Amino acid sequence: FWKASDSLQSLTFSFEIVGGIAAFLLVPPFLVLNEIYRRNGRPSQVMVPAIAAACGVRILEFTFNAGVRMHSNWMVKKWTLTDQDLKAVTISFFTVQSQGTWLFAMDYLFLAFGQISAALLTYKCQNTMPRWWGHLGMVAGVIGLLNFLVELGRLGSWLRMSEIGFLLQAVDGFILMPIWTLALGCKLYSASATSARQLMDDDQRGGLATRD
């Protein structure tokens, strides 16, 4: 176990760092999206706090796991340990890891709340985001809720729930989330370009009216 953990340490940290950065980068677009909904008379009190909370949990998870794994791998690699010592370190490692099970599963829950809230606002507000984007966000949100339950279910059946969790995370992380976030970015870019053209037109009209 410890040899595999040490060999995969860099890869694991890379994925966790990317996950933390990706979660952080979700916050600004949702602030802009909430402003668009607010101008349409439908501001959300849940969407932005939920996304920000998911970002905070993801960053906390990265820092927690980095500390535990680096220190445990260092102990096993550098110290002279007997078989009993290795068993004790392994048990301690899993015990410490289990302390964050509920907390670190909350990122799926908060992200799901944010996505479902955005989907519901998309259905209510016309001419904001396309309805298919709302449908996609609703599906991703439901999968996020299932991910949360599966993470907690690992305490009952680790192997079975790990397999289910891997499948759900693959569908959500490699298919739904990329499409969902790219569509959001493209729509916000288009909206910002349109708003900029409107402001320029207003300034030009204002200048012509002043000269007249």
Side-chain angles (χ1 to χ4, degrees):
F1 171 79
W2 290 109
K3 288 182 179 179
S5 178
D6 183 59
S7 63
L8 295 174
Q9 179 173 275
S10 299
L11 182 62
T12 302
F13 287 169
S14 298
F15 276 113
E16 291 183 351
I17 290 174
V18 170
I21 294 175
F24 177 77
L25 293 178
L26 273 179
V27 177
F30 272 91
L31 290 172
V32 177
L33 184 62
N34 193 51
E35 177 64 18
I36 293 175
Y37 288 138
R38 187 189 66 79
R39 293 184 180 183
N40 283 270
R42 298 280 187 174
S44 173
Q45 305 299 323
V46 176
M47 182 175 64
V48 173
I51 296 297
C55 170
V57 172
R58 184 61 62 89
I59 294 175
L60 180 62
E61 180 180 7
F62 160 68
T63 56
F64 178 84
N65 288 337
V68 173
R69 287 184 179 276
M70 288 183 66
H71 186 70
S72 299
N73 288 333
W74 173 78
M75 288 176 57
V76 173
K77 191 174 181 179
K78 297 296 183 180
W79 292 12
T80 302
L81 303 175
T82 64
D83 291 342
Q84 286 298 113
D85 295 333
L86 283 175
K87 290 180 181 179
V89 170
T90 304
I91 293 173
S92 300
F93 173 78
F94 283 113
T95 301
V96 172
Q97 286 282 93
S98 66
Q99 292 179 356
T101 300
W102 279 81
L103 175 61
F104 299 146
M106 295 294 285
D107 61 344
Y108 295 113
L109 186 65
F110 288 135
L111 182 59
F113 286 161
Q115 290 177 313
I116 292 174
S117 176
L120 293 176
L121 288 173
T122 300
Y123 299 150
K124 294 177 182 178
C125 297
Q126 302 295 326
N127 301 322
T128 53
M129 296 295 295
R131 291 185 67 85
W132 69 263
W133 185 83
H135 300 330
L136 189 64
M138 184 65 71
V139 173
V142 172
I143 290 180
L145 294 177
L146 294 176
N147 258 327
F148 171 73
L149 297 176
V150 167
E151 285 291 315
L152 301 183
R154 291 188 182 190
L155 298 177
S157 177
W158 182 269
L159 182 59
R160 178 63 59 83
M161 290 301 169
S162 295
E163 293 173 349
I164 297 174
F166 177 78
L167 179 61
L168 292 176
Q169 291 172 25
V171 172
D172 190 29
F174 291 104
I175 300 176
L176 299 181
M177 281 296 292
I179 297 174
W180 189 73
T181 51
L182 284 174
L184 174 62
C186 292
K187 183 65 176 180
L188 292 181
Y189 177 80
S190 176
S192 64
T194 302
S195 299
R197 285 195 297 269
Q198 290 177 349
L199 289 174
M200 292 176 64
D201 291 341
D202 291 342
D203 290 341
Q204 290 176 355
R205 286 194 293 269
L208 290 175
T210 302
R211 285 196 296 270
D212 293 341

